Amino acid sequence: MFASRKTDISLAAIVLCGGRSLRMGEDKASVMLGSETLLQRCCRLIYRSADPVIVVAAPAQELPELNELTEVVHDDFPGQGPLGGLLTGLRHLERRGIKDECPVWVTSCDAPFVNAAVVETMVSELGDFDVVAVRHGDQINPHSAVYRLGVVETVAKAFSQGERRATAIFENLSLKTIKSSVLREIDPDLSFLWNINTVEDLDCAKARLREKPDHLRNS
């Protein structure tokens, strides 16, 4: 049973957490950062902007305790990369009856500094586009991006044709990119783009939390 039956919503979110975490050496969803796991922190911060929040996990993955409103689904294509996880999450939202034009924020559990103001800014730029994504240098980030739910068929077609690169779907969607330099006005060190892939990355994230004033540690 779904926690909510809303179909007219302003923003949904998908959190991908079923990766193999090879460089970290343990499941990143359960890695501690401060008093909570990476997944718990990511979901908590996303709830400032989005409802529902869909977590896409590997079939046998053990997850930390999450807010009762979080909806956990298991990847329909385990081991097939983030594009399969994205497709799983989008299809789940589609089955909920949420409308095609609904924006969906897509991120991964190893992004612990989700910034609500950045998310809201990107959603406001969606307009008639299918996707709004951040361009950082010469890279477009597919996992800190806003998609319309209606892109699900394009994602499904690319996946069925053997594509596994998340950025490949951009070729068949109307895409708006925002330069990361523009978003520095909101997030000066672009921490919303940080990914925790290694122990060294985790140490840097812990240092950031220690350095921040107490009233900012929840961001």
Side-chain angles (χ1 to χ4, degrees):
M1 180 177 293
F2 298 132
S4 168
R5 298 299 303 187
K6 292 188 295 181
T7 57
D8 294 313
I9 61 177
S10 57
L11 179 66
I14 294 172
V15 181
L16 305 175
C17 73
R20 291 182 291 173
S21 306
L22 294 178
R23 285 186 285 172
M24 178 63 73
E26 59 179 307
D27 185 356
K28 287 189 285 187
S30 297
V31 167
M32 297 298 297
L33 178 60
S35 61
E36 57 196 338
T37 68
L38 290 179
L39 180 59
Q40 289 169 332
R41 178 182 175 86
C42 184
C43 290
R44 174 174 61 80
L45 295 179
I46 289 173
Y47 268 122
R48 296 178 178 180
S49 304
D51 177 18
V53 175
I54 310 301
V55 171
V56 181
Q61 187 175 8
E62 294 185 10
L63 299 182
E65 183 176 354
L66 298 171
N67 183 296
E68 63 181 6
L69 297 179
T70 306
E71 298 176 21
V72 177
V73 298
H74 291 116
D75 196 338
D76 292 329
F77 313 98
Q80 296 296 306
L83 195 62
L86 173 61
L87 180 55
T88 298
L90 291 172
R91 281 180 168 169
H92 179 76
L93 289 171
E94 189 177 49
R95 287 193 295 269
R96 267 173 134 270
I98 294 173
K99 295 180 179 179
D100 284 352
E101 61 267 25
C102 177
V104 183
W105 175 256
V106 175
T107 188
S108 53
C109 72
D110 60 359
F113 297 114
V114 176
N115 186 308
V118 169
V119 174
E120 290 158 12
T121 295
M122 293 178 65
V123 171
S124 72
E125 294 292 323
L126 188 56
D128 294 328
F129 291 93
D130 294 321
V131 188
V132 175
V134 179
R135 183 183 293 275
H136 186 58
D138 61 354
Q139 301 292 320
I140 300 176
N141 192 328
H143 297 142
S144 292
V146 181
Y147 299 76
R148 286 201 186 282
L149 179 56
V151 307
V152 61
E153 294 306 322
T154 300
V155 176
K157 182 177 180 180
F159 191 85
S160 69
Q161 293 174 342
E163 188 58 71
R164 296 297 180 264
R165 296 176 299 119
T167 54
I169 60 174
F170 292 159
E171 300 169 6
N172 296 304
L173 297 172
S174 59
L175 168 68
K176 179 173 184 176
T177 60
I178 299 178
K179 290 183 179 180
S180 59
S181 57
V182 173
L183 295 170
R184 285 188 185 276
E185 297 178 10
I186 303 171
D187 186 352
D189 57 3
L190 298 178
S191 57
F192 79 97
L193 289 176
W194 290 15
N195 291 110
I196 309 301
N197 293 313
T198 65
V199 173
E200 291 75 18
D201 292 339
L202 182 61
D203 289 341
C204 288
K206 290 178 178 178
R208 184 182 191 274
L209 289 185
R210 287 195 299 268
E211 292 166 2
K212 295 188 69 173
D214 288 343
H215 70 286
L216 293 178
R217 290 190 178 182
N218 288 329
S219 63

